[in-house]
Amino acid sequence: MTSKSSIVIAREYLTRVRKKSFIIMTIIGPLLFAAVIIGPAWFATLEDREVRVIAVIDSSRLFIDQIPETDYLKFEYLENVTVDEVREKFDDTDYYAVLYIAHIITSTPSAVQLMSDRQPSLNIRMHISNAIEKELERLKLAAYNIDDLDRILESVRTNVTIRTIIWQDDGGEKESFSELAMIVGYVGGFLIYFFIFLFGAQVMRGVIEEKTSRVVEIIVSSVRPFQLMLGKIVGIGMVGLTQFLLWVVLSLTLVVISQQLFFPDLGTPSSETVVAEDLFSSSTLQQSQPIESESSARFMEMFASVSAINFSVMLFSFLFYFLGGYLLYASLFAAIGSAVDNETDTQQFMLPITIPLIIAIIVMMNAIMNPYGPIAFWFSIIPFTSPIIMMARIPFGVPVWEVALSAGLLVLTFIFTTWLAGKIYRTGILMYGKKVNYKELWKWIRYQG
Amino acid sequence: MEFFSAREVTKSFVNHRALDKVSMSVPEKSIYGLLGPNGAGKTTLIRIVNQITAPDDGELTLNGRTLKPADTYRIGYMPEERGLYKKMKVGEQALYFARLKGLDKKTATKRLKHWFEKFDIQSWWGKKVEELSKGMQQKVQFIITIIHEPELLIFDEPFSGFDPINTNLLKKEITGIRDRGTTIIFSTHNMGSVEELCDHITLIDNSRSIIDGPVQEIRNSFKLDIYRVGFEGDPQKLYGLLSPAYEVLELTGGLTGHTARIKVHRKSDDNLLLKQLIPHLHITSFTEEIPSMNDIFIDQVEKQKKKTPNPKASQ
């Protein structure tokens, strides 16, 4: 039994790991993550490369030369023309848009119109409305004739930062940074969601492939169907783990290399701070620049707290909840694959699998805001959502009994779903040309033989 | 000597009964034909022999002992719907299946090299299956089926997809394997190959075994006492010559002579027929018509249909 299963596992693992798509994913995965973070900012700068000129017709004459310009946004103030006149010649000019400010602007703030032959971008609208608001505010304040207005305003403006302190059972105090815990929780939970879908779907596709190519009939003449199903699930799970570990190693290498290149003074950091800096790479950037002492100190504290998050606990719980969640869902994916003749037929059965996962992702948003609330608690206990929700809660610190309960239930449930899936699988893989519904599946589950 | 047997095997699925007390006894070193129309239950029986599914009732034995899970190593199976991993390389794939059948890597590689050489397909080793034509894939499938040198081989429609040259090659291999001591169960609709290859058959219809036994005996038992007489001379003479015990069913003429199919109503009268003809006609040939397996198959299945209106047909 063991040797046959290991042959199946080896095939499932090796054929996938050697695939070009796996190697490409492994290499571009970390780059892709970086791109997701950096990309939007980069695109935003790209968009602004084009210099846009906006014609301003200001009949209130309050804003002439008052709207701040940027490198890519210029304003041209037109005198003695009407909107209609500009509109007639609009195609011959290089104007991006025409801004009309009516003279009643001080009493009617909506008396501003931005006109163009296309939808002006949100950024530009924000820029203009901010500028006009500010200018109006300044004008209105100035009307009160207060002395030393600028100095008063300067002294009134205050930024408040709240430090959260957690009282420890041993009487000590620990400063927590919920922003950081939120990020770590979010990334962990999301990765599990992503991995379950990615590799669960691979299990399903693998089963369908074997069924439609009829290989399955030859294999089950030497291996029991349950062994084949389990071999496939375990093999693909190992592919997932390999991918994850390679990503971790690659990201660390990337960080270390870029540090050596850009910040050689820091020397070779210990692995723990590397992870910390990986998560907070923006802070390393800021550190090299002179920054205000207050926020600099805060960053240093944050660094200390990054080290306070126990990364070995995080890694261990990630591996546990990834495997538990994967095993739970992969067997269901395998059962679906066995019940259909092709991928398009999977739709009706996918719903019960996708719904709990999507609920989990929605609840996760709530859980990272309020990690000790009843919603977060219950969804981190229920096995179908616990891998994602508990993973999101763990960075905030979760009582041991809750983790134990959730882990225990998860193990029991994946044993149950695997058993259930095995029953569907063994009948399904040999059944062709039949539209299967839930009633039929139920018969397969109850069928003894 | 009996090598494999099934006794009163019964199997029901959720919606219907697939096998109803089917028995068969496969002699050692023989080729045993498993015949039957589509949906008769052949595939279910084959799956039970392969222990892919378990019977609800009945007993299976291999070499005198009850069939057990480890016996899958001693059985080779080529399903009707051939299946290979399309994206996997031929050699790697063959190795995988060989190892699932209990061979170690070294032995498997050695044997595979031998068969690849024999079929002159060494160059396919590193190719992906999807690059091969259907006939080429069949050859690979055949090698995979026999690589662990099973004692019992099961072929389900082995010739489908082969061209005549490769069909012959395969036939030669199958009889060769039989001669070296392997017992073969052979499921097919191709009655020509049944007559050519099979020693024994079982005909399954509507979940039941309706005929079984040695091919020659079965064919003989379905003889209709029809004789085929070749002669030269005036064919009209024939009608006046024969006594009422004989009936001319068909008369065909050609350049070299005529052929008549004559039905003998009483068994003992076949020599007498010749006696009546010889004085008047020049007889060139005289043979008894033995029904082909094809005729027997169609005849029996039709008869069965009339006897029991097939409940499955309405589904």
Side-chain angles (χ1 to χ4, degrees), chain A residues 18-67:
Chain A
R18 282 184 306 196
K19 263 189 199 162
K20 273 194 205 105
S21 56
F22 177 84
I23 297 166
I24 292 170
M25 260 306 262
T26 304
I27 294 169
I28 66 166
L31 299 177
L32 214 65
F33 281 134
V36 166
I37 295 162
I38 299 165
W42 185 68
F43 275 117
T45 61
L46 257 195
E47 198 188 9
D48 279 349
R49 286 289 143 83
E50 193 189 331
V51 178
R52 286 171 180 147
V53 182
I54 291 176
V56 182
I57 302 171
D58 180 8
S59 41
S60 71
R61 302 195 62 81
L62 290 170
F63 303 96
I64 305 280
D65 294 330
Q66 288 303 325
I67 304 173

Side-chain angles (χ1 to χ4, degrees), chain B residues 158-176:
Chain B
F159 303 122
S160 69
F162 275 94
D163 62 40
I165 293 167
N166 282 320
T167 303
N168 260 348
L169 179 77
L170 196 62
K171 274 182 190 165
K172 232 176 68 191
E173 285 305 330
I174 290 176
T175 46

Side-chain angles (χ1 to χ4, degrees), chain B residues 35 191-192 194-195 201 203 211 215-216 218-220 222-224 288-300:
Chain B
L35 318 180
M191 294 300 146
V194 170
E195 280 168 26
I201 62 124
L203 175 58
I211 309 172
V215 173
Q216 288 315 317
I218 290 171
R219 287 181 68 189
N220 276 326
F222 281 93
K223 280 192 299 202
L224 294 166
E288 186 175 9
E289 254 185 28
I290 298 174
S292 67
M293 282 310 299
N294 202 38
D295 294 338
I296 297 171
F297 182 98
I298 293 170
D299 191 52
Q300 289 302 305

